[in-house]
Amino acid sequence: MKVLFINTNDISGGAARAAMRIMHGVQETGIETRMLVKDKYSQSSDVIPISHFAPPSNPVKDMFQWVIQKLKNRYHLLKWHPYKRTKQNVFMSDLRYTDIHGALQKLDYDVLHLHWINNRFLDIRELAKVHKPIVWTLHDSWPFCGLCHYFIDCERYQTHCGACPMLGSHSDQDLAYEIFEKKLAIYKDLDLHIVTPSRWLGECAKKSALLGRFPVHVIPNCLDTELFRPLTSQEILTIAEHQQNAVVSRVLREATEKRLAKPFILYGAMNAATDRRKGFASLLSAMQILDTHGFEARLVVFGAHPQDLPMKFENIDITFVGYIHDSSVLTALYNGADVMVVPSLTENLSCAIMESLSCGTPVVAFNIGGNGDMIDHLQSGYLAKEKDAADLANGIQWCIDHNKDNVLGKQARRKANNSYTTQIVSKQYQALYQSLC
């Protein structure tokens, strides 16, 4: 059996990392897999960039294509122009795409497995030419919404997008309506099988007008639990000694002095400062509550710089360690922390939660999205009431107070080993592929 994975790139971003982990896990079951991408950053021979299929350069043709692309971009900008009240920091995509040079017809595969295909990558109209089973693992809600990758509190996807609150639109036949209609027409004749990493997203897909008629399977993302694992103090020190980032090195060395004099709280995310969905405002409110009550702690933040997230407390020290791209360093930070806080306002299946649990560090998060699939409340962490900063603060203090002998951490590690290993997840995908072929 041959499976072709498709993702916009191979290693940048949570969806890419999840897709690569799944692909490598499926390979271990004996299934032949490759991944088609728009942008290739790794050296993996299993990843094929679309540039591989581009015809030989022709100056006249290239200039013509350049002009056509400029006109298309101008046309799409005009489409977006009426929506000047679009909400800030809300991620939306239309149907712009990149020419894949007939790659789907030139490659040999039995099952097409889609992951995250946006950022002007795959033209979903190409799927009508694929007369084979299509599996689509959803990493957000775009496949069943008109434009939005995260629908927040809107439920129009259940009937028909239009008068989109994210666009600031009051017209029933706005751009969201138009794209929704096009998706309806494209999906109509597809042999489509939906996979969602969380039960919550699966229920949303089932309720949606676009994907509700297709079978939905819940299969979690997987994780290398041998990479993200509990470390000894000596292992953390070794990582600190080889770390060029002096601040990270200092934090890790101090963390090995058995949890310091103050509890170590960890927070971080991709675009931690600029993406309001990551919930930094809620974290700030929770920290202010703890600080007011005289709670002493150390907050370590990755994925942002001090100028991005200005804050100051009386009893809580703050250390910014910048952006972390090395998984071993991230593992060491999880291990050094007493608790990880993930205050996101919307989540599918958080990589940060999964990684922290696998390292044996309890997690505090809001009880939203797929968080309840991962955190066993009062066993491996704390599920706070949605958007309730006071309860988030309660959860942080509860985890620190109730993790004697690492009882929460041990349960967290057990959860990861029982649910998210590569072997467990890849076997579920293997069974799905075999049922389709």
Side-chain angles (χ1 to χ4, degrees):
M1 187 189 298
K2 298 178 181 179
V3 179
L4 178 64
F5 282 62
I6 297 188
N7 199 75
T8 300
N9 70 75
D10 48 357
I11 56 175
S12 178
R17 295 196 301 274
M20 282 286 275
R21 289 169 182 165
I22 294 168
M23 183 179 77
H24 290 148
V26 167
Q27 285 176 346
E28 293 175 8
T29 69
I31 295 175
E32 184 179 325
T33 63
R34 290 185 291 178
M35 181 182 290
L36 179 68
V37 300
K38 176 185 175 187
D39 302 305
K40 179 177 178 178
Y41 300 116
S42 74
Q43 300 301 313
S44 175
S45 60
D46 298 320
V47 176
I48 309 166
I50 55 172
S51 58
H52 178 82
F53 299 93
S57 180
N58 179 310
V60 175
K61 186 177 179 181
D62 290 348
M63 178 58 71
F64 177 75
Q65 291 295 336
W66 182 83
V67 171
I68 292 297
Q69 191 58 51
K70 286 289 185 181
L71 290 173
K72 284 182 177 179
N73 288 340
R74 181 61 181 167
Y75 170 76
H76 282 285
L77 286 174
L78 289 172
K79 286 275 191 180
W80 283 91
H81 183 71
Y83 308 105
K84 295 180 180 179
R85 294 193 299 163
T86 299
K87 287 191 175 182
Q88 294 295 313
N89 299 322
V90 172
F91 189 24
M92 294 185 285
S93 298
D94 52 29
L95 296 180
R96 274 177 279 188
Y97 60 90
T98 299
D99 187 354
I100 62 172
H101 312 294
L104 296 186
Q105 285 69 53
K106 296 173 184 176
L107 288 164
D108 181 25
Y109 54 91
D110 301 300
V111 176
L112 185 66
H113 191 161
L114 306 179
H115 284 267
W116 201 81
I117 58 170
N118 299 102
N119 197 19
R120 304 184 189 181
F121 180 27
L122 186 66
D123 179 2
I124 59 174
R125 289 174 297 186
E126 290 278 342
L127 301 179
K129 304 173 187 176
V130 177
H131 304 296
K132 295 175 182 179
I134 301 172
V135 174
W136 197 344
T137 295
L138 308 191
H139 296 278
D140 57 33
S141 60
W142 184 84
F144 60 77
C145 291
L147 298 166
C148 300
H149 288 261
Y150 304 94
F151 54 82
I152 315 295
D153 298 319
C154 178
E155 295 184 347
R156 286 173 171 80
Y157 70 91
Q158 297 180 14
T159 51
H160 200 302
C161 285
C164 177
M166 304 303 174
L167 286 176
S169 165
H170 298 290
S171 170
D172 288 334
Q173 298 191 8
D174 56 15
L175 185 58
Y177 175 93
E178 179 184 329
I179 301 300
F180 195 96
E181 278 288 300
K182 289 181 178 179
K183 287 182 179 179
L184 272 175
I186 294 166
Y187 293 170
K188 181 168 58 71
D189 298 317
L190 299 183
D191 183 7
L192 196 56
H193 303 264
I194 304 302
V195 173
T196 63
S198 68
R199 290 176 295 172
W200 165 78
L201 192 61
E203 289 303 313
C204 293
K206 289 176 184 177
K207 292 176 183 176
S208 72
L210 283 172
L211 298 183
R213 67 185 183 86
F214 297 108
V216 176
H217 311 264
V218 178
I219 303 177
N221 294 331
C222 58
L223 184 72
D224 184 348
T225 53
E226 293 306 307
L227 172 60
F228 292 96
R229 60 182 175 84
L231 301 177
T232 65
S233 294
Q234 186 55 53
E235 287 174 315
I236 296 175
L237 278 175
T238 300
I239 293 171
E241 289 169 2
H242 293 86
Q243 176 56 227
Q244 293 182 340
N245 184 323
V247 179
V248 171
S249 182
R250 174 169 54 84
V251 167
L252 294 180
R253 285 198 309 272
E254 292 173 348
T256 61
E257 297 168 6
K258 219 35 212 160
R259 301 306 192 229
L260 308 168
K262 295 182 177 182
F264 175 170
I265 302 168
L266 185 64
Y267 163 75
M270 191 173 181
N271 303 319
T274 57
D275 189 343
R276 72 180 184 89
R277 292 182 302 104
K278 301 303 180 182
F280 176 73
S282 296
L283 176 70
L284 178 60
S285 296
M287 290 293 103
Q288 287 173 333
I289 291 168
L290 291 171
D291 187 57
T292 301
H293 293 157
F295 181 80
E296 294 188 344
R298 181 179 195 176
L299 175 66
V300 175
V301 179
F302 65 87
H305 296 298
Q307 61 271 24
D308 301 327
L309 301 173
M311 52 184 172
K312 189 175 181 180
F313 305 107
E314 291 292 329
N315 302 295
I316 299 174
D317 303 326
I318 306 164
T319 303
F320 288 85
V321 296
Y323 291 81
I324 307 298
H325 303 289
D326 186 330
S327 294
S328 65
V329 176
L330 193 53
T331 298
L333 284 171
Y334 287 130
N335 271 269
D338 291 283
V339 63
M340 174 73 184
V341 186
V342 183
S344 306
L345 304 180
T346 178
E347 278 289 359
N348 178 11
L349 205 74
S350 165
C351 284
I353 292 177
M354 188 183 294
E355 291 165 355
S356 185
L357 294 175
S358 189
C359 290
T361 301
V363 182
V364 178
F366 289 124
N367 190 10
I368 49 98
N371 291 353
D373 289 9
M374 309 177 77
I375 301 170
D376 296 318
H377 186 53
L378 305 184
Q379 295 182 48
S380 61
Y382 190 99
L383 289 168
K385 298 172 186 174
E386 185 175 353
K387 299 179 183 178
D388 189 334
D391 202 26
L392 194 70
N394 288 337
I396 293 169
Q397 184 147 21
W398 187 92
C399 284
I400 291 171
D401 291 344
H402 290 79
N403 200 24
K404 186 178 180 181
D405 298 325
N406 198 33
V407 61
L408 300 178
K410 290 174 183 176
Q411 180 63 27
R413 175 66 178 175
R414 194 174 299 118
K415 175 75 173 188
N417 277 333
N418 290 341
S419 305
Y420 307 122
T421 66
T422 301
Q423 292 80 7
I424 290 172
V425 173
S426 58
K427 285 180 180 178
Q428 294 178 66
Y429 273 109
Q430 180 190 33
L432 174 58
Y433 298 148
Q434 289 175 339
S435 72
L436 302 182
C437 293

